[in-house]
C-alpha cells in the first residue's frame, strides 16, 4: 500500500497566521482526504481533496478557512488560515489506491496555536 | 452516513483472544465494514474489512452477523503492541456521492495487560 509523508510533523504558530501542511504519497492514488483529530478525540473528516477540481468539504468546514489543493495524483496541501487557539489539533492526510483494500494515513501534523 | 456503536474501552490479557464488538443497525446493503486501529502518536492503520462473509488476514479475523447489523473484530492472541484505539467504520461504495470516504466513530480503547 501507499506510504504517506506529511510535513511539517509539528509546528507552533502565532494566532492570525496561516500554516500549509503538505502530504506526499509515494505512488499515484485515486482519493486523498484530510482529517482533524483534537486531543483525546476521534478523527473528523475535513474534506476530500479532488485532483484538478475544488475539494469537497464536510459540514462545518469551509474553503476560506481550510483551502486545499491537489495538483496531481500524489500530492495535496491543506492550509489552516487565520489560526486561533481552537485550531490546535493534529491534522492527518489519508489516501486510497485503486485495487488496494485499505486506506493509508500519514503520521499527522501536530499544530499548536499560541 | 450510517453510524457504528462500540464500547468505549476493553481490557484483555496478553496472549489471550480479544473480541471487539461493533453495532451498525442502520447499515445499508452496499456499505462495507472496515476496521482500523490507531496506536499512540500514530495515524490510523488498516486492519481488515468485509461486506457479508467472514474474513481473515494476518492481523485479525472479522466475523459479520448474518443480518449485517453487527460485527466482531477478533485478535487471536493479543500482544502488548495491540494496545490501541480500534475503529469500526462503514464505508459507502465508490461511485456514490460520498466518494468512499471514511467517517470515524469514537472507537474502542483496548488495554492489554501482561
Amino acid at each position: 500500500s501507499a506510504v504517506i509523508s506529511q510535513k511539517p510533523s509539528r509546528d507552533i504558530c502565532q494566532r492570525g497566521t496561516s500554516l500549509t501542511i503538505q502530504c506526499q504519497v509515494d505512488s499515484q492514488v485515486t482519493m486523498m482526504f484530510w482529517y482533524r483529530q483534537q486531543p483525546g478525540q476521534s478523527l473528523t473528516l475535513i474534506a476530500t481533496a479532488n485532483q484538478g477540481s475544488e475539494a469537497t468539504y464536510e459540514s462545518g468546514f469551509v474553503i476560506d478557512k481550510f483551502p486545499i489543493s491537489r495538483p496531481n495524483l500524489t500530492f495535496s496541501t491543506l492550509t489552516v488560515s487565520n489560526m486561533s487557539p481552537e485550531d490546535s489539533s493534529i491534522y492527518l492526510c489519508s489516501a486510497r489506491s485503486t485495487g488496494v483494500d485499505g486506506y493509508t494515513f500519514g503520521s499527522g501534523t501536530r499544530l499548536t496555536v499560541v | 452516513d450510517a453510524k457504528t456503536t462500540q464500547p468505549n474501552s476493553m481490557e484483555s490479557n496478553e496472549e489471550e483472544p480479544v473480541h471487539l464488538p461493533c453495532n451498525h443497525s442502520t447499515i445499508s446493503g452496499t456499505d462495507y465494514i472496515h476496521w482500523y486501529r490507531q496506536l499512540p502518536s500514530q495515524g490510523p492503520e488498516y486492519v481488515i474489512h468485509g461486506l457479508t462473509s467472514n474474513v481473515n488476514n494476518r492481523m485479525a479475523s472479522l466475523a459479520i452477523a448474518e443480518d449485517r447489523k453487527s460485527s466482531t473484530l477478533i485478535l487471536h492472541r493479543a500482544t502488548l503492541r495491540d494496545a490501541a484505539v480500534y475503529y469500526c467504520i462503514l464505508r459507502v461504495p465508490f461511485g456514490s456521492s460520498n466518494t468512499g470516504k471514511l467517517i470515524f466513530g469514537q472507537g474502542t480503547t483496548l488495554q492489554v495487560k501482561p
Side-chain angles (χ1 to χ4, degrees):
Chain A
S1 57
V3 176
I4 294 178
S5 300
Q6 264 188 252
K7 292 181 181 179
S9 59
R10 59 178 60 226
D11 208 341
I12 301 173
C13 300
Q14 297 292 321
R15 67 178 65 199
T17 62
S18 298
L19 176 71
T20 295
I21 302 167
Q22 298 181 0
C23 177
Q24 178 71 57
V25 191
D26 68 346
S27 59
Q28 293 186 349
V29 293
T30 53
M31 297 181 193
M32 295 183 76
F33 305 91
W34 286 97
Y35 289 84
R36 181 173 72 183
Q37 186 172 30
Q38 295 178 313
Q41 302 294 314
S42 181
L43 283 77
T44 301
L45 180 64
I46 297 171
T48 302
N50 300 310
Q51 195 265 325
S53 64
E54 193 171 284
T56 305
Y57 290 85
E58 297 298 306
S59 176
F61 297 95
V62 295
I63 187 171
D64 289 347
K65 177 67 175 177
F66 298 102
I68 288 170
S69 78
R70 190 179 170 195
N72 56 49
L73 293 176
T74 64
F75 186 77
S76 178
T77 66
L78 168 75
T79 299
V80 186
S81 303
N82 188 25
M83 289 183 285
S84 67
E86 291 71 34
D87 295 319
S88 297
S89 191
I90 297 172
Y91 293 85
L92 297 108
C93 172
S94 175
R96 181 191 177 268
S97 304
T98 302
V100 174
D101 289 338
Y103 293 57
T104 304
F105 287 80
S107 297
T109 296
R110 183 179 294 272
L111 171 63
T112 302
V113 184
V114 297
Chain B
D1 299 315
K3 187 177 175 179
T4 62
T5 304
Q6 300 176 251
N8 287 335
S9 62
M10 291 185 64
E11 280 187 359
S12 172
N13 293 317
E14 196 175 11
E15 298 189 5
E16 289 186 357
V18 182
H19 290 234
L20 296 163
C22 180
N23 288 320
H24 28 78
S25 58
T26 60
I27 190 171
S28 74
T30 53
D31 287 346
Y32 282 78
I33 302 161
H34 277 237
W35 283 82
Y36 284 74
R37 71 179 185 181
Q38 188 173 24
L39 299 161
S41 301
Q42 296 188 25
E45 172 189 31
Y46 168 78
V47 177
I48 200 167
H49 81 288
L51 184 60
T52 56
S53 303
N54 294 344
V55 185
N56 300 296
N57 67 20
R58 63 176 180 80
M59 289 183 69
S61 296
L62 176 60
I64 301 173
E66 197 168 331
D67 64 5
R68 299 205 336 119
K69 294 183 184 299
S70 66
S71 61
T72 302
L73 179 70
I74 303 166
L75 306 179
H76 296 286
R77 284 180 73 243
T79 70
L80 296 178
R81 289 174 295 177
D82 291 323
V85 180
Y86 287 78
Y87 295 100
C88 170
I89 302 165
L90 301 183
R91 195 214 78 203
V92 298
F94 301 113
S96 70
S97 61
N98 285 317
T99 66
K101 62 188 178 185
L102 298 179
I103 303 298
F104 284 74
Q106 291 306 306
T108 297
T109 299
L110 175 66
Q111 288 186 308
V112 181
K113 296 183 289 185

